[in-house]
Amino acid sequence: MSKLDLLLQQAADAIRLARRVVALTGAGISVESGIPAFRGTQGLWEKYDPMEYAHIDALRAHPEKVWRMLLELHTLVRDARPNPAHLSLARMEKKGYLRAIITQNIDHLHQDAGSSFVIEFHGTGHRLACMSCGERYPSQEMEVEEIPPRCPCGGILKPDVVFFGEPIPWRALIQAQEESKHCDVMLVVGTSAVVAPACDMPYLAKERGARILEINPEETPLTHTITDLFLQGSAGDILPRLVDLL
Ligand code: NAD
Ligand code: ZN
């Protein structure tokens, strides 16, 4: 038995014995669906530095420029389909082994895969929000005739996602903290665990005694600090194997 097979067995045992399992997912889980993560400089983010383009001050100061990037991202997300990692988490929920997913992603792929309890920590690309009056609109119906798109009130529309420099939607923050405090296993998948406060969730869980299972091809700041089992590899490979063992 390889080292990874042994770790997969141990992870499956931990999940089977747990009362409450919660997953925290990041951009890495959607890489195999064709949406590049911020870190790892792939595709879109080679052209647009996320630290520059994903900051709310950039959108306010240069809405046309930032909206050109947002339209490219919108096209990628619109055409993306759930991959075996999203489908495995949905299967895990149906089998009764996963209570909730806290996701930093805005791509809706967990819901598309069939997961029903998804906390969208950074909002959703499925809606647009007016920066003046706060009205929200479904983004699928978006026909961008002018850049930036505008609300009937004249305000500039933004995707209803959390940009750098913006607060986390309070309901999602409270729900995520509650789920983190009350789980006894947290499955951390495809996140670099450096974007706060999302990266605080595994620490909240660990403080209350949860075991941390991490899936990532690369080590993160969690790996040698609070991670109990590090399953090194891509989410689309590891998660189906893990769920098959349950
Ligand atoms: P990140 O870009 O900082 O890190 C991605 C992580 O995924 C890295 O640790 C990388 O090693 C890992 N990874 C790469 N390929 C993987 C694979 N096949 N399987 C598993 N892991 C893989 O992502 P983050 O921690 O989520 O933080 C970036 C922020 O950007 C998030 O807050 C998110 O809102 C946003 N974002 C979202 C999307 C999306 O919705 N799909 C895409 C890009 C960025
Ligand atoms: Zn408006």
Side-chain angles (χ1 to χ4, degrees), residues 130 132-133 135 151 153 155:
C130 174
S132 298
C133 73
E135 186 67 30
C151 176
C153 85

Side-chain angles (χ1 to χ4, degrees), residues 105-169:
N105 300 341
I106 51 88
D107 54 32
H108 209 262
L109 292 178
H110 287 302
Q111 293 93 329
D112 293 346
S115 289
S116 57
F117 187 2
V118 182
I119 301 168
E120 291 178 311
F121 202 80
H122 290 156
T124 176
H126 265 212
R127 281 193 308 266
L128 297 174
C130 174
M131 290 168 77
S132 298
C133 73
E135 186 67 30
R136 287 171 163 80
Y137 304 93
S139 60
Q140 292 95 317
E141 295 160 18
M142 178 171 70
E143 284 170 36
V144 178
E145 282 154 10
E146 53 163 350
I147 279 196
R150 287 182 185 270
C151 176
C153 85
I156 292 175
L157 294 172
K158 74 184 272 283
D160 200 7
V161 306
V162 177
F163 282 62
F164 289 118
E166 286 193 302
I168 305 302

Side-chain angles (χ1 to χ4, degrees), residues 25-32 35-40 42 45 73 77 104-109 122 162 164 189-195 198 215-220 233-236:
T25 66
I29 197 168
S30 296
V31 165
E32 289 158 273
I35 306 174
F38 279 173
R39 286 155 194 87
Q42 309 155 59
W45 309 118
L73 182 60
V77 170
Q104 299 169 79
N105 300 341
I106 51 88
D107 54 32
H108 209 262
L109 292 178
H122 290 156
V162 177
F164 289 118
V189 187
T191 175
S192 58
V194 294
V195 178
I215 299 176
N216 200 310
E218 311 279 345
E219 293 177 354
T220 74
S234 83

